[in-house]
């Protein structure tokens, strides 16, 4: 069942332009309602990672980790269609336009093993990867939905660290210092 909207409090504006209450407590991740049917394990996995999950209608992403980071999930076998079909290509363009840090997660949908799938994909779909890089979309590879859950949880933790950084650019305390340095190196 979809989660209820957050309680009233401070608000933030999402990349899609809607105002949302900024909840206190666990990091909140917004999941598009379409993911309820497509990936029922995704919600349970994110909650198991200690994240607060709110289902809502997202215009340009499957998952929103923060106002800066939106994710679109694709199976590796479906990814090439996003170059050939204009409506699907528009979805990727919308992701890139709405979020400062757009992320595309390519799922192999198979258990762990030698990641020949990633190598094969890279070799056979260089034009797709080049187009994504030109749009400044980060690409993550995942074997399964559980791997995707772990990637989303990691991004949510990193974004929590970014939002905790003070106005002077310094981390608020020593516990965030290592994460802050790592974020700065990759920014």
């Amino acid at each position: 069942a979809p989660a209820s909207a957050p309680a009233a409090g401070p608000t933030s504006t999402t990349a899609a332009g809607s105002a949302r209450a900024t909840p206190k407590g666990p990091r909140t991740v917004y999941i598009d309602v379409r993911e309820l049917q497509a990936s029922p394990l995704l919600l349970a996995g994110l909650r198991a990672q200690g994240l607060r999950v709110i289902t809502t209608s997202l215009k340009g992403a499957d998952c929103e980790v923060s106002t800066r980071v939106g994710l679109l999930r694709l199976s590796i076998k479906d990814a090439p269609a996003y170059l050939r079909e204009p409506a699907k290509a528009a979805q990727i363009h919308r992701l890139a336009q709405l979020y400062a840090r757009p992320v595309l997660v390519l799922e192999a949908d198979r258990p762990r093993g030698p990641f020949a799938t990633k190598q094969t994909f890279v070799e056979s779909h260089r034009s797709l990867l080049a187009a994504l890089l030109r749009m400044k979309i980060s690409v993550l590879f995942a074997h399964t939905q559980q791997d995707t859950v772990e990637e989303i949880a990691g991004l949510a933790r990193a974004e929590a660290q970014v939002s905790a950084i003070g106005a002077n650019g310094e981390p608020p305390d020593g516990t965030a210092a290592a994460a802050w340095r790592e974020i700065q190196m990759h920014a």
Side-chain angles (χ1 to χ4, degrees):
S4 61
T11 61
S12 63
T13 302
T14 67
S18 61
R20 293 203 178 117
T22 305
K24 302 240 185 236
R27 184 77 185 147
T28 301
V29 174
Y30 296 91
I31 301 291
D32 191 89
V33 293
R34 295 170 298 193
E35 293 296 305
L36 291 173
Q37 290 180 340
S39 308
L41 299 176
L42 185 67
L43 274 71
L46 290 171
R47 287 183 177 129
Q49 292 278 335
L51 297 171
R52 181 174 183 214
V53 179
I54 296 177
T55 56
T56 188
S57 180
L58 296 174
K59 302 234 185 267
D62 294 329
C63 174
E64 185 176 281
V65 173
S66 71
T67 56
R68 295 174 353 116
V69 179
L71 292 93
L72 186 62
R73 298 174 52 242
L74 297 176
S75 69
I76 283 182
K77 66 179 186 238
D78 294 338
Y82 280 75
L83 274 183
R84 294 189 306 268
E85 298 176 27
K88 292 185 180 214
Q91 189 177 7
I92 291 177
H93 283 282
R94 196 167 37 254
L95 177 74
Q97 290 172 342
L98 290 174
Y99 296 95
R101 304 275 188 190
V103 178
L104 182 67
V105 179
L106 295 173
E107 291 179 355
D109 294 328
R110 59 179 61 140
R112 289 185 186 270
F115 212 155
T117 304
K118 177 180 176 182
Q119 186 62 32
T120 302
F121 181 86
V122 170
E123 290 172 2
S124 60
H125 298 95
R126 291 184 194 279
S127 59
L128 173 62
L129 290 172
L132 293 170
L133 291 174
R134 279 193 302 277
M135 289 188 285
K136 298 185 183 198
I137 296 177
S138 298
V139 179
L140 301 175
F141 288 89
H143 286 278
T144 63
Q145 282 187 25
Q146 182 57 40
D147 289 344
T148 300
V149 164
E150 291 170 14
E151 293 288 351
I152 293 171
L155 288 170
R157 284 189 292 274
E159 281 297 294
Q161 293 296 327
V162 168
S163 65
I165 294 172
N168 62 359
E170 293 296 321
D173 60 32
T175 61
W180 178 79
R181 283 191 295 276
E182 185 171 331
I183 290 165
Q184 294 301 310
M185 288 173 38
H186 293 98

